[in-house]
């Protein structure tokens, strides 16, 4: 695939410094571009340049603009802002989508301020509106309501939370342009002295198909064995709410589900002893099926659940584990009998 100069104007521009989020943005970006009959352009910075650029084309980008490796190595929020700013000046997109990462929300807000346009944050749905506007849906008032809003500015800037949209499949037959850009980047205002990795567990809960999460309904750290047994029999990943991960430190920080933790989309989410405050609910609301176990019938988590069990997890979980094990054993026996 050859590197070609950019020409024309882009309809939709997408960017995230995080590779996984960048891929997810291509899906919603492609949908918006197709609806408006315009091109989708992706801005990419970070190694491996060629591999990620070709992957973006295969997943829907008409053009991928990549920064020269020497520049990409020293980008921070200031550099990403300048890269987006110069790309917007050259390509004049109608819509700019930025991943809602810690860096992304800063960059999007600063870009909107520099351009003098509006910025819709944490959009959970996006669609083209009349006369080139962008219609978005956002959770407001602590996540209790969804607001449908129209962005009239040009370009319309919106940030998109990670894990909100599925990554589009690859189509290796797609053709696209890869353009290497050399931008005038500012001298960095901050200097990194050292980087220390935060302790992490071996599992990425954001990709888990089944999750068992525990909250303050658990009285002692030793009692984690109860929910661990449920997770084991369901083939689930163990997670927790903020009090369990941050305050009590019974689970690693990267096992936290919520606004300040991970956003998850499992097929099954079992909430054990979790009250369901909005900080937690925002992170698990996209689960396909939610089971709640809580002693308080008025706990907010019951409002999010498909199946609610009002009771003490110490009384509910052990027989639930036994029932699941029995069902699994019966299924195994039936399978063996069917095989003869």
């Amino acid at each position: 695939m050859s590197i070609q100069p950019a020409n024309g104007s882009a309809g939709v521009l997408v960017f995230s410094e995080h590779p996984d989020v960048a891929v997810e943005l291509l899906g919603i970006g492609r949908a918006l571009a197709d609806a408006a009959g315009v091109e989708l352009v992706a801005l990419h910075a970070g190694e491996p340049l060629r591999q990620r650029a070709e992957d973006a084309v295969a997943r829907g980008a008409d053009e991928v603009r990549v920064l020269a490796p020497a520049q990409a190595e020293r980008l921070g929020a200031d550099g990403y802002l300048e890269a987006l700013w110069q790309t917007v000046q050259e390509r004049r997109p109608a819509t700019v989508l930025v991943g809602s990462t810690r860096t992304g929300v800063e960059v999007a807000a600063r870009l909107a301020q520099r351009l003098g346009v509006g910025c819709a944050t944490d959009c959970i749905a996006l669609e083209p509106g009349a006369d080139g506007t962008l219609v978005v849906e956002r959770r407001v008032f602590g996540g209790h309501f969804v607001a449908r809003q129209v962005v009239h500015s040009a370009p319309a800037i919106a940030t998109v939370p990670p894990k909100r949209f599925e990554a589009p499949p690859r189509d290796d037959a797609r053709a696209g342009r890869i353009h290497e850009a050399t931008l005038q980047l500012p001298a960095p205002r901050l200097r990194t002295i050292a980087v220390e990795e935060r302790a992490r567990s071996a599992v990425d809960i954001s990709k888990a198909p089944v999750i068992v999460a525990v909250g303050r309904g658990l009285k002692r750290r030793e009692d984690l064995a109860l929910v661990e047994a449920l997770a084991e029999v369901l083939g689930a990943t163990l997670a927790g709410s903020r009090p369990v991960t941050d305050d009590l430190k019974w689970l690693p920080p990267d096992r936290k589900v919520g606004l300040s933790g991970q956003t998850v989309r499992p097929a099954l989410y079992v909430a054990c002893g979790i009250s369901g405050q909005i900080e937690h609910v925002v992170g698990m609301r996209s689960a396909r099926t939610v089971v709640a176990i809580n002693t308080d019938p008025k706990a907010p988590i019951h409002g999010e659940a498909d199946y609610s069990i009002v009771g003490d997890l110490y009384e509910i979980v052990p027989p639930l584990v036994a029932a699941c094990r029995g069902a699994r054993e019966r299924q195994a026996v039936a399978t063996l009998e069917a095989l003869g």
Side-chain angles (χ1 to χ4, degrees):
M1 190 175 295
S2 61
I3 294 178
Q4 303 178 16
N7 51 67
S9 61
V12 180
L13 171 65
V14 299
F15 167 76
S16 178
E17 81 288 358
H18 193 289
D20 290 344
V21 180
V23 172
E24 294 165 6
L25 290 179
L26 290 171
I28 182 60
R30 183 72 265 168
L32 291 173
D34 287 344
V38 296
E39 284 196 334
L40 172 64
V41 174
L43 175 63
H44 166 64
E47 294 290 353
L49 290 173
R50 171 62 65 173
Q51 179 180 336
R52 287 180 57 189
E54 291 180 351
D55 182 69
V57 170
R59 295 182 187 274
D62 296 302
E63 178 183 322
V64 183
R65 294 172 60 89
V66 298
L67 294 182
Q71 290 189 316
E73 289 177 358
R74 59 186 179 88
L75 285 181
D78 290 343
Y80 293 136
L81 171 62
E82 197 62 33
L84 271 172
W85 160 258
Q86 293 183 37
T87 301
V88 168
Q89 296 305 301
E90 293 178 21
R91 302 295 275 112
R92 301 292 178 182
T95 303
V96 179
L97 304 183
V98 181
S100 285
T101 61
R102 183 176 299 179
T103 299
V105 293
E106 175 189 344
V107 170
R110 292 173 63 185
L111 177 65
Q113 189 277 332
R114 183 182 289 192
L115 291 169
V117 300
C119 177
T121 58
D122 291 331
C123 300
I124 60 175
L126 306 98
E127 62 185 58
D131 303 322
T133 59
L134 179 67
V135 180
V136 303
E137 291 184 3
R138 304 171 54 241
R139 290 196 175 99
V140 295
F141 296 108
H144 291 285
F145 299 94
V146 173
R148 187 172 174 86
Q149 301 172 332
V150 180
V151 184
H152 291 275
S153 61
I157 299 177
T159 68
V160 180
K163 308 297 180 184
R164 180 62 196 175
F165 297 99
E166 296 286 345
R170 284 181 59 95
D171 178 3
D172 293 321
R174 289 195 80 259
R177 305 183 302 275
I178 299 177
H179 169 64
E180 185 173 303
T182 301
L183 305 178
Q184 300 299 317
L185 299 180
R189 295 187 295 173
L190 300 177
R191 183 166 59 94
T192 301
I193 303 299
V195 176
E196 183 177 344
E197 288 290 336
R198 187 173 64 181
R200 296 183 179 274
S201 59
V203 179
D204 182 358
I205 65 170
S206 67
K207 298 178 181 178
V210 181
I211 292 176
V212 172
V214 62
R216 281 302 289 121
L218 198 71
K219 300 173 183 177
R220 300 176 302 171
R221 183 171 193 162
E222 294 77 12
D223 296 338
L224 275 173
L226 283 173
V227 287
E228 286 174 341
L230 181 59
E232 186 275 332
V233 76
L234 293 176
T237 297
L238 185 63
S241 60
R242 184 172 62 181
V244 172
T245 59
D246 291 9
D247 301 339
L248 300 171
K249 303 187 186 308
W250 290 350
L251 291 173
D254 58 343
R255 296 289 184 115
K256 176 173 57 176
V257 175
L259 187 62
S260 60
Q262 298 269 31
T263 298
V264 298
R265 301 179 65 184
L268 173 63
Y269 189 88
V270 183
C272 301
I274 293 176
S275 63
Q277 297 304 313
I278 192 62
E279 200 280 340
H280 181 79
V281 167
V282 167
M284 48 70 66
R285 184 168 271 164
S286 296
R288 187 182 307 167
T289 301
V290 177
V291 177
I293 303 172
N294 196 288
T295 56
D296 183 3
K298 297 182 179 180
I301 193 65
H302 292 303
E304 304 295 329
D306 299 284
Y307 302 95
S308 287
I309 302 174
V310 178
D312 191 334
L313 70 87
Y314 286 87
E315 298 176 358
I316 301 299
V317 170
L320 184 59
V321 171
C324 290
R325 282 179 178 159
R328 190 168 66 178
E329 290 170 0
R330 289 191 295 273
Q331 183 178 22
V333 170
T335 301
L336 290 173
E337 291 175 348
L339 292 175

